[in-house]
């Protein structure tokens, strides 16, 4: 070994002075995107509120106080001394409590749908791009066909079918039970929530698949893939250890942008009455009931509308920040 | 086309063993061009046409030619990184193209590649130590600690340090990355390495450094190189024997000294006359080739070089020359050479 070391001395001037982990670099670049930092703080607090919902709300989500509809914010319950921080809705249910329970449900729906559709899309896209040929043709023509159809009508039809017969799709009990425990809803409601997640996922993976395929196609031409094959690395390992990690940054970005999409889509479905049904609270269906009363009680639509607005905006900015932070071409 | 069947004297006529490590017989590689609505094959790019040569154990075989002549494709096809259209490659008596997946994986321990572009040859999301050790991992060589030890040892052998193993490719310069690429090829302790223009993307100062490393490693590990290049000076420096390619065909094969002293094929002569000489007062005859290389989609009939050959005669347009031994160890594919 020593003979070669002599002829090829290490050129210290070429090396970077300090060792830096990738993660620290990414965090530093993300921190420079002020708006994204503010938005992630906002999102973290919303997630914390939704997480600690039991400790923060005085009422149950479905608890009706008869004769006290449209109570003003900070009014006191007629029965006992509990405060309606944000008033009550048309049935006399506590608005603040419902908003927080709804946050838990709406955000869970968005997060689970994003994870599911990203996983499916990444696998389909990676297979399609890496193996190419007939498989690629079949998968991509199928994806393109689905993408040409307007999304909302399809979602409406799908969800009306699935909500009509929720048993049509077999869902393992532990998922239903887990979700019903997590979101403080009944098993029947949880099944409904799962159906809505499936509806959102059914079209959500399409864009991810195309994105991943594009990334994989460009990675496939890189020499390091060929070097791995020359070393005897299997296709599976190349996809898992080289393709997916390199496609990770665009996937994370598109997932965070997808969260915004899913919050809105779920709200839109529920608003139109094809989503999660009352009495299970979601931001969307809370909004839909305010329609008839908004002229007399204008704060009613604002309260569930605001978190939808904030979440959609914040996820978008965080996505932007991540895009900048994860781009390996940018150096700090 | 039986350039391989006759035993020639080894490189430089030195005490090299005449054992053939690699034999390439009538290698053909066509790339289909697809077009139209149904993506049917409308044409074939004839990248490599009927190429035969052999490489002796421990030597460096230089393969030169201009861009697009198929020299890189020859290297990649030998390693089965792209499937060949025809012909055969024999490595240590084993047919590479006929190997089943398990045999191929074993073969790959002995046959590695170094790429031209140091920027795309390393995975940007993987620490370089892991890239180097990946081959060891998938071949199940050693324990985790032993593999790491081998990675470090390989890194040192290309003049890098232990702490470099944890770093990512973007933290290195082009020359360093190229050395890491060499380390990755070395990690499996192969017998044969295809060097695909390993220095043409580097600064001249770094070129010398990398070439020296390659030569030192060859001496230390008894490596055999197929050295693909377009720079004649680099080839003259490193190769023992040289093959010259033109438009997918091998036009001349000879020991380095013989080829540079006594080029026989008109194309080789033109290449030689284009080598810059660091003497401004030296008068010499430059052979300037006219026109462009014909498209490999539709190579010319007869001798492929006749469209640009300054010595071409009528016969060259119709009759295809064979690569034949015109003197001991010197093979030429030209009708005009006796």
């Amino acid at each position: 070994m020593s003979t070669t070391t002599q002829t090829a001395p290490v050129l210290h001037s070429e090396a970077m002075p300090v060792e830096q982990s990738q993660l620290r670099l990414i965090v530093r670049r993300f921190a420079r995107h002020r708006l994204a930092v503010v938005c992630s703080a906002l999102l973290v607090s919303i997630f914390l509120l939704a997480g600690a919902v039991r400790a923060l709300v005085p009422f149950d989500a479905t608890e009706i106080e008869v004769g006290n509809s449209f109570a003003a914010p900070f009014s006191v319950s007629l029965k006992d001394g509990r405060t309606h921080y944000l008033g009550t809705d048309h049935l006399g249910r506590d608005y603040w409590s419902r908003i927080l329970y709804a946050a838990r449900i709406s955000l869970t729906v968005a997060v689970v749908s994003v994870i599911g559709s990203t996983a499916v899309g990444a696998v389909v896209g990676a297979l399609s791009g890496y193996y190419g040929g007939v498989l690629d043709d079949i998968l991509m023509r199928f994806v393109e066909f689905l993408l040409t159809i307007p999304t909302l009508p399809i979602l409406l039809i799908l969800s009306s079918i699935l909500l009509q017969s929720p048993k049509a799709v077999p869902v393992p009990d532990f998922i239903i039970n887990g979700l019903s425990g997590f979101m403080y809803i009944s098993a029947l409601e949880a099944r409904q929530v799962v159906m809505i997640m499936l509806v959102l996922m059914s079209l959500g993976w399409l864009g991810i698949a195309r994105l991943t395929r594009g990334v994989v196609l460009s990675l496939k031409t890189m020499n390091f893939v060929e070097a791995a094959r020359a070393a005897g690395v299997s296709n599976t390992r190349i996809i898992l250890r080289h393709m997916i990690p390199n496609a990770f940054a665009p996937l994370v970005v598109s997932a965070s942008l997808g969260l915004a999409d899913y919050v809105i889509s779920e709200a839109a479905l529920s608003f139109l009455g094809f989503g999660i049904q009352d009495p299970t609270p979601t931001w969307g269906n809370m909004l839909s009931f305010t329609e008839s009363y908004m002229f007399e009680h204008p704060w009613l639509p604002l309260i569930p509308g605001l978190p939808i607005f904030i979440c959609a905006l914040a996820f978008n900015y965080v996505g932007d920040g991540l895009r900048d932070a994860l781009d390996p071409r940018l150096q700090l | 086309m039986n350039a391989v069947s006759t035993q020639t004297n080894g490189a430089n006529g030195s005490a090299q063993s005449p054992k053939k490590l690699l034999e390439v017989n009538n290698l053909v590689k066509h790339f289909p061009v697809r077009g139209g609505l149904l993506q049917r094959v409308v044409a074939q790019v004839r990248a490599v046409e009927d190429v035969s040569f052999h490489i002796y154990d421990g030597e460096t075989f230089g393969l030169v030619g201009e861009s697009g002549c198929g020299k890189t494709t020859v290297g990649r096809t030998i390693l089965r990184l792209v499937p060949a259209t025809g012909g055969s490659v024999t490595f240590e008596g084993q047919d590479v193209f006929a190997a089943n997946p398990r045999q191929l994986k074993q073969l790959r321990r002995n046959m590695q590649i170094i790429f031209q572009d140091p920027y795309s040859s390393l995975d940007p999301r993987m620490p370089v130590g892991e890239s180097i050790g990946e081959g060891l991992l998938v071949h199940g060589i050693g324990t985790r600690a032993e593999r790491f030890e081998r990675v470090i040892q390989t890194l040192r052998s290309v003049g890098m340090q232990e702490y470099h193993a944890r770093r990512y490719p973007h933290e290195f310069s082009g020359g360093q990355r190229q050395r890491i690429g060499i380390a990755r090829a070395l990690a499996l302790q192969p017998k044969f390495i295809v060097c695909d223009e390993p220095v043409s993307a580097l600064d001249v100062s770094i070129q010398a450094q990398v070439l020296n490393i390659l030569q030192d490693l060859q001496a230390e590990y008894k490596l055999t190189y197929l050295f693909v290049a377009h720079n004649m000076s680099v080839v003259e420096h490193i190769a023992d024997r040289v093959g010259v390619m033109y438009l997918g065909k091998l036009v001349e094969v000879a020991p380095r000294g013989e080829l540079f002293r006594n080029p026989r094929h008109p194309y080789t002569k033109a290449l030689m006359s284009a080598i810059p000489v660091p003497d401004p007062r030296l008068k010499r005859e430059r052979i300037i080739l006219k026109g462009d290389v014909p498209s490999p989609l539709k190579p010319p009939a007869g001798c492929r070089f006749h469209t640009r050959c300054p010595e071409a005669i009528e016969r060259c347009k119709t009759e295809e020359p064979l690569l034949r031994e015109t003197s001991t160890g010197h093979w030429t594919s030209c009708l005009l050479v006796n």
Side-chain angles (χ1 to χ4, degrees):
Chain A
M1 275 313 117
S2 59
T3 53
T4 49
T5 321
Q6 280 163 9
T7 52
V10 184
L11 302 179
H12 280 291
S13 55
E14 286 179 30
M16 296 235 317
V18 233
E19 194 167 337
Q20 271 184 325
S21 77
Q22 296 270 92
L23 189 68
R24 191 177 300 172
L25 261 173
I26 289 167
V27 171
R28 247 185 41 212
R29 285 194 222 128
F30 186 77
R32 295 209 305 188
H33 203 299
R34 297 275 172 243
L35 207 50
V37 176
V38 171
C39 286
S40 27
L42 215 57
L43 286 171
V44 166
S45 42
I46 290 177
F47 274 96
L48 284 179
L49 284 177
V53 61
R54 272 285 150 95
L56 296 169
V57 299
F59 296 87
D60 199 64
T62 50
E63 189 179 336
I64 296 174
E65 196 181 341
V66 182
N68 195 13
S69 303
F70 306 119
F74 294 103
S75 60
V76 173
S77 166
L78 301 178
K79 283 190 298 193
D80 42 40
R82 291 180 294 175
T83 316
H84 294 295
Y85 295 111
L86 295 175
T88 60
D89 68 2
H90 59 295
L91 295 176
R93 294 176 297 194
D94 182 60
Y95 227 48
W96 166 247
S97 309
R98 281 181 71 75
I99 284 285
L100 282 198
Y101 279 110
R104 210 173 164 95
I105 294 165
S106 293
L107 291 175
T108 308
V109 168
V111 169
V112 172
S113 308
V114 157
I115 292 173
S117 55
T118 304
V120 172
V123 170
V124 171
L127 290 177
S128 184
Y130 188 76
Y131 288 105
V134 183
L135 180 76
D136 184 37
D137 283 341
I138 293 172
L139 288 174
M140 282 305 116
R141 289 310 85 76
F142 177 66
V143 166
E144 278 156 18
F145 167 72
L146 289 179
L147 279 172
T148 54
I149 307 171
T151 317
L152 198 58
I154 289 281
L155 291 183
L156 292 181
I157 292 167
L158 265 179
S159 58
S160 64
I161 292 171
L162 284 181
L163 292 180
Q164 280 294 311
S165 45
K167 303 259 180 194
V169 184
V171 184
D173 275 343
F174 74 92
I175 293 182
I176 300 286
N177 293 336
L179 282 176
S180 89
F182 182 70
M183 295 188 281
Y184 311 121
I185 52 181
S186 71
L188 206 66
E189 290 172 306
R191 188 173 282 276
Q192 209 179 69
V193 169
V194 172
M195 292 305 133
I196 294 303
M197 288 173 181
L198 289 176
V199 168
L200 290 176
M201 280 188 263
S202 67
L203 294 182
W205 62 275
L206 301 171
I208 307 275
R210 284 187 66 85
L211 174 81
T212 315
R213 172 178 176 269
V215 175
V216 167
L217 277 182
S218 77
L219 288 173
K220 215 168 65 163
T221 65
M222 305 285 272
N223 284 333
F224 67 80
V225 175
E226 205 150 89
R229 280 176 48 215
V233 180
S234 65
N235 285 334
T236 318
R237 195 180 148 86
I238 289 177
I239 291 179
L240 291 178
R241 298 286 288 126
H242 294 286
M243 297 293 182
I244 300 281
N246 275 287
F248 194 69
L251 283 180
V252 165
V253 172
S254 102
S256 61
L257 298 176
L259 280 172
D261 261 3
Y262 286 135
V263 168
I264 292 177
S265 296
E266 183 273 316
L269 279 181
S270 301
F271 180 81
L272 293 171
F274 289 87
I276 297 162
Q277 305 291 315
D278 199 57
T280 318
T282 74
W283 292 336
N285 68 26
M286 288 178 69
L287 197 59
S288 81
F289 283 100
T290 63
E291 203 186 1
S292 333
Y293 318 107
M294 62 191 286
F295 291 104
E296 301 92 75
H297 312 286
W299 66 88
L300 281 184
L302 285 180
I303 290 166
L306 199 65
I308 297 174
F309 171 73
I310 290 176
C311 283
L313 205 65
F315 281 129
N316 267 305
Y317 280 124
V318 171
D320 270 357
L322 281 175
R323 187 195 336 254
D324 293 348
L326 291 174
D327 191 341
R329 281 165 301 186
L330 295 174
Q331 303 246 334
L332 206 69
Chain B
M1 269 304 131
N2 54 353
V4 285
S5 58
T6 316
Q7 200 183 71
T8 52
N9 205 5
N12 310 336
S14 65
Q16 223 157 23
S17 85
K19 189 187 141 209
K20 287 171 191 167
L21 184 74
L22 184 90
E23 279 192 58
V24 177
N25 284 315
N26 308 92
L27 187 67
V28 181
K29 176 62 192 175
H30 293 172
F31 291 101
V33 178
R34 291 172 192 278
L37 191 64
L38 295 170
Q39 295 292 297
R40 269 194 298 235
V41 177
V42 292
Q44 299 279 356
V45 176
R46 297 165 186 276
V48 178
E49 197 81 84
D50 207 12
V51 164
S52 301
F53 62 93
H54 53 259
I55 304 180
Y56 294 112
D57 200 6
E59 78 168 343
T60 300
F61 187 85
L63 199 55
V64 293
E66 57 200 304
S67 304
C69 73
K71 53 193 192 299
T72 294
T73 308
V74 168
R76 295 175 54 199
T77 315
I78 288 174
L79 297 185
R80 244 176 96 172
L81 291 173
V82 286
T85 309
S88 72
V89 171
T90 315
F91 180 80
E92 289 191 307
Q94 195 182 353
D95 188 342
V96 175
F97 294 165
N100 64 33
R102 260 190 48 217
Q103 292 167 327
L104 184 64
K105 195 173 171 184
Q106 286 311 308
L107 271 172
R108 286 192 160 153
R109 285 182 64 166
N110 285 320
M111 305 167 83
Q112 286 295 308
I113 184 165
I114 301 167
F115 294 98
Q116 173 177 15
D117 177 9
Y119 290 90
S120 84
S121 65
L122 295 170
D123 187 338
R125 296 269 171 212
M126 199 180 252
V128 299
E130 224 175 292
S131 283
I132 295 170
E134 190 171 30
L136 299 171
L137 181 71
V138 300
H139 284 282
I141 297 169
T143 63
R144 204 186 156 80
E146 283 164 11
R147 285 198 296 268
F148 187 70
E149 192 49 47
R150 173 90 69 93
V151 168
I152 302 302
Q153 186 193 337
T154 330
L155 266 177
R156 291 222 175 95
S157 72
V158 296
M160 311 273 295
Q161 295 294 303
E162 180 173 348
Y163 64 89
H164 286 134
R166 287 185 304 276
R167 298 206 170 167
Y168 286 86
H170 74 261
E171 298 175 65
F172 296 100
S173 68
Q176 285 178 314
R177 287 186 204 209
Q178 198 58 297
R179 285 188 274 152
I180 294 164
I182 295 172
R184 175 178 52 195
L186 279 178
L188 283 167
Q189 298 184 338
K191 294 182 179 141
F192 173 65
I193 298 181
V194 173
C195 308
D196 184 8
E197 309 221 19
V199 296
S200 53
L202 305 175
D203 284 347
V204 178
S205 58
I206 309 290
Q207 285 191 5
Q209 186 197 19
V210 170
L211 286 176
N212 288 337
I213 289 177
L214 285 173
Q215 285 186 316
D216 291 343
L217 293 170
Q218 180 168 39
E220 193 171 338
Y221 297 109
K222 308 272 174 291
L223 293 168
T224 305
Y225 290 144
L226 171 62
F227 196 94
V228 177
H230 60 248
N231 184 334
M232 297 298 277
S233 312
V234 168
V235 171
E236 188 176 9
H237 177 72
I238 200 165
D240 299 314
R241 287 191 310 133
V242 181
V244 181
M245 278 186 81
Y246 181 77
L247 207 58
K249 285 216 157 200
L250 209 49
V251 296
E252 189 157 12
V253 181
R256 181 232 347 236
E258 164 74 8
L259 188 86
F260 280 79
R261 261 194 324 272
N262 181 21
R264 292 221 174 104
H265 196 282
Y267 179 63
T268 318
K269 286 180 196 165
L271 280 184
M272 295 298 171
S273 82
I275 302 173
V277 178
D279 180 357
R281 279 179 294 278
L282 185 73
K283 290 273 184 288
R284 53 189 190 129
E285 201 188 338
R286 286 274 276 122
I287 306 170
I288 312 283
L289 294 178
K290 289 181 201 64
D292 287 326
V293 187
S295 163
L297 281 167
K298 247 188 120 178
C303 174
R304 292 191 167 200
F305 189 52
H306 84 258
T307 53
R308 301 170 76 199
C309 182
E311 301 168 28
I313 56 171
E314 205 51 41
R315 228 178 113 206
C316 299
K317 292 182 184 168
T318 49
E319 200 176 321
E320 197 168 345
L322 294 176
L323 188 66
R324 63 211 158 82
E325 193 163 20
T326 47
S327 65
T328 311
H330 193 143
W331 297 70
T332 317
S333 152
C334 180
L335 296 170
L336 302 168
V337 177
N338 297 315

